[in-house]
Amino acid sequence: MKIGKKEKSGQLYRAILQLQDEQECYQFFQDLCTVAELRSMEQRFEVASLLDDGMIYNDILERTGASSATISRVNRSLNYGTGAYSQVFARLKDK
């Protein structure tokens, strides 16, 4: 499988699957990413969740502070991506 134009390394994804709870996940990503990278991923996930709930762009922009470009990009992934967002949201709702 490719990410962008390069082959992905499965090592990171296998490592993520080894995390056993939210605390381990938080600590791993805190070590792996900068604060800015984490905030960016958290913001994108929140935007995706709000879009999935049917919230409109202007309300999302106001609530999250995300740019319209970020909201648009996330919306494109949500609607035309791999389906992973929908899969995760469904699993979260089941819990």
Side-chain angles (χ1 to χ4, degrees):
M1 183 177 286
K2 289 187 177 191
I3 295 178
K5 295 181 180 181
K6 296 184 177 183
E7 288 289 324
K8 70 168 179 61
S9 165
Q11 188 173 5
L12 172 63
Y13 304 100
R14 286 189 300 274
I16 291 168
L17 291 172
Q18 300 307 306
L19 302 171
Q20 296 185 8
D21 58 31
E22 190 173 334
Q23 184 64 29
E24 280 188 13
C25 192
Y26 177 77
Q27 290 170 335
F28 179 78
F29 279 94
Q30 201 171 25
D31 285 349
L32 180 67
C33 302
T34 65
V35 171
E37 290 167 334
L38 285 171
R39 295 295 168 250
S40 180
M41 287 189 288
E42 290 169 355
Q43 183 185 61
R44 287 185 199 139
F45 190 78
E46 182 180 11
V47 166
S49 178
L50 296 172
L51 285 167
D52 188 60
D53 289 344
M55 189 177 280
I56 61 171
Y57 275 44
N58 286 341
D59 292 342
I60 294 171
L61 193 145
E62 190 175 304
R63 180 168 173 173
T64 65
S67 69
S68 58
T70 295
I71 297 169
S72 228
R73 193 173 315 117
V74 170
N75 191 49
R76 191 168 42 254
S77 293
L78 191 60
N79 291 308
Y80 304 107
T82 64
Y85 274 127
S86 297
Q87 188 176 50
V88 167
F89 293 147
R91 289 178 184 170
L92 288 171
K93 288 174 185 169
D94 285 346
K95 289 190 174 195

